[in-house]
Amino acid sequence: LSHIGLLQGIQACTTVMCEYPSGVIADRCGKKISLLSSFIMYMVSFLLYSFGSESFAVLAIAAMLYGMGEALRSGCHKAMILQWLERHGHLKQKTFLYSRTRSFSNLGSAINAVTAVCLVVFVPGSSVIFLGSIVPMMLDFILVATYPSYLNVWSETPATMWSLVKDEFSALVTLMSHPHNRRKVLSSSIFQASHKTLKDYIQPIMVILGGEMLKQWRVSGENRVRTLTKVVIGCTYALFYLVSCAGTRNSWRIAGLFSSEKTAMDRIFDAFLVLAIGIGVFVWTELPVLVIPAYLFLYFLTNTRRPLAMSQVSELMGKKRRATVLSVESLLNSIAFFILAPACGFIAHHFGISVLFLAFGVSGLLLNFLYLSGDPVPDELT
């Protein structure tokens, strides 16, 4: 387990270090090249994971390659979608169209959850699973290779490396120095990090409460209980993503209920945090029947909000730096997750999962109200 944690740390650190440079590469050298390179990183990483399980050094290299792939991919495909919409005169419908494309991603995640259960239950060892994961990456590579060539146009690059660094650093300072921009980027990244931190606590909750529930249903035998718990967790994730699909597809409709997309983002964040408090209460009172619906709504809110956040963040620095801005958001997301994940793990370990959710919800509501909500009038950016 310590090796797994260390590998995850290596992967995450690599992603953080490469996040901003990868956005610059995508904007300066072509988004299509960047995305294709990420798939190559993934495939090599899976090969090393499959055949290098006896050597920690090989696994560390695999983790680094996967982290580099994540950095190259994040923000890049969204920027490509926006570039395509702009070229075809549909940029005003970006929230609607991105919500539809993301809904298919949620549907794919639901199918993956069911597939993962079958693999965990019936396939011995992880090597075959890693090898099998290369197939969809190859299909993705072939698909992206067929994308239009204009998605790979190189941007005008400063004459020297120092000029490039100076230019990009100036753009980053400009982005984060305006309250209008800063609140949108931080609100988007902190919300994503919050969901990433809390979402997988459903597994220990189901192991603790779901295992007891299975015993009450007179399911006997430790191995049988363990297997059925895995099946229940996998099917639960599939249900989460199906509900997420519905939320994402209707994101643009929900945004229309508020005065602006930023206001919708703020109120959804509030609802997310209130729901976290509710989950804390349900865990404390040992009511797994209510925990699952609450988690379903948690996923619904997260995927309803994401298209709105992408729409708000993507245009903050104009079309020439879309991938860079989205990479900055992803970088801040990773940094926030680095802070939240160990802190939440410490609270959950020493005080319990219910205390974690209660504390997270209350402190998050204060943070959102004091620092993240609202939409100051934007200053003119140059």
Side-chain angles (χ1 to χ4, degrees), residues 4-77:
I4 291 174
L6 188 55
L7 290 172
Q8 289 178 328
I10 292 171
Q11 175 190 312
C13 286
T14 304
T15 301
V16 168
M17 288 189 292
C18 297
E19 194 71 72
Y20 185 70
S22 69
V24 176
I25 290 170
D27 279 331
R28 299 284 185 177
C29 303
K31 300 175 184 67
K32 188 174 174 181
I33 287 176
S34 180
L35 196 54
L36 288 172
S37 299
S38 74
F39 292 130
I40 293 174
M41 298 286 185
Y42 287 143
M43 287 187 281
V44 176
S45 173
F46 290 150
L47 279 173
L48 292 177
Y49 272 129
S50 182
F51 295 109
S53 58
E54 300 299 321
S55 170
F56 182 78
V58 173
L59 294 178
I61 294 172
M64 292 175 65
L65 289 172
Y66 191 92
M68 291 171 66
E70 284 286 275
L72 287 166
R73 180 194 58 80
S74 66
C76 185
H77 207 203

Side-chain angles (χ1 to χ4, degrees), residues 175-373:
L175 173 68
M176 298 306 295
S177 62
H178 294 81
H180 171 76
N181 297 345
R182 187 171 59 248
R183 287 196 184 188
K184 289 182 177 181
V185 174
L186 289 177
S187 178
S188 177
S189 57
I190 291 174
F191 181 90
Q192 287 298 111
S194 299
H195 175 71
K196 192 190 300 184
T197 301
L198 298 182
K199 69 184 180 71
D200 288 329
Y201 279 97
I202 187 62
Q203 295 185 30
I205 290 172
M206 287 304 297
V207 168
I208 297 169
L209 301 182
E212 290 298 321
M213 190 167 60
L214 288 173
K215 288 179 181 178
Q216 290 176 7
W217 293 348
R218 297 182 180 179
V219 177
S220 59
E222 186 177 344
N223 289 335
R224 192 180 179 196
V225 169
R226 189 182 297 116
T227 300
L228 284 176
T229 301
K230 292 177 182 177
V231 172
V232 169
I233 291 173
C235 292
T236 301
Y237 271 111
L239 185 59
F240 286 167
Y241 286 118
L242 287 175
V243 171
S244 299
C245 179
T248 305
R249 286 179 67 86
N250 293 286
S251 178
W252 61 281
R253 287 193 177 97
I254 294 172
L257 301 175
F258 299 89
S259 58
S260 68
E261 287 185 341
K262 181 60 171 63
T263 302
M265 288 171 60
D266 294 338
R267 300 293 77 80
I268 290 172
F269 203 169
D270 288 337
F272 177 94
L273 294 164
V274 170
L275 201 58
I277 295 173
I279 291 173
V281 173
F282 299 149
V283 173
W284 179 55
T285 54
E286 298 185 359
L287 292 172
V289 176
L290 296 178
V291 171
I292 300 301
Y295 252 99
L296 282 172
F297 198 45
L298 209 68
Y299 271 74
F300 178 87
L301 291 174
T302 298
N303 286 277
T304 298
R305 191 181 194 268
R306 186 56 191 158
L308 308 181
M310 191 279 296
S311 173
Q312 290 291 293
V313 170
S314 62
E315 296 302 319
L316 290 179
M317 291 296 292
K319 63 183 181 179
K320 291 184 179 180
R321 286 194 170 94
R322 278 188 188 128
T324 301
V325 172
L326 290 169
S327 288
V328 169
E329 182 218 18
S330 185
L331 171 61
L332 293 173
N333 176 1
S334 298
I335 293 172
F337 179 68
F338 268 149
I339 297 170
L340 289 173
C344 289
F346 178 85
I347 294 172
H349 180 73
H350 290 280
F351 302 101
I353 294 177
S354 59
V355 174
L356 161 64
F357 275 85
L358 290 169
F360 196 100
V362 172
S363 58
L365 283 170
L366 288 172
L367 176 66
N368 192 41
F369 177 76
L370 294 174
Y371 298 107
L372 303 179
S373 291

Side-chain angles (χ1 to χ4, degrees), residues 46-47 49-53 123-134:
F46 290 150
L47 279 173
Y49 272 129
S50 182
F51 295 109
S53 58
V123 177
S126 58
S127 296
V128 176
I129 297 175
F130 281 117
L131 283 176
S133 300
I134 294 175

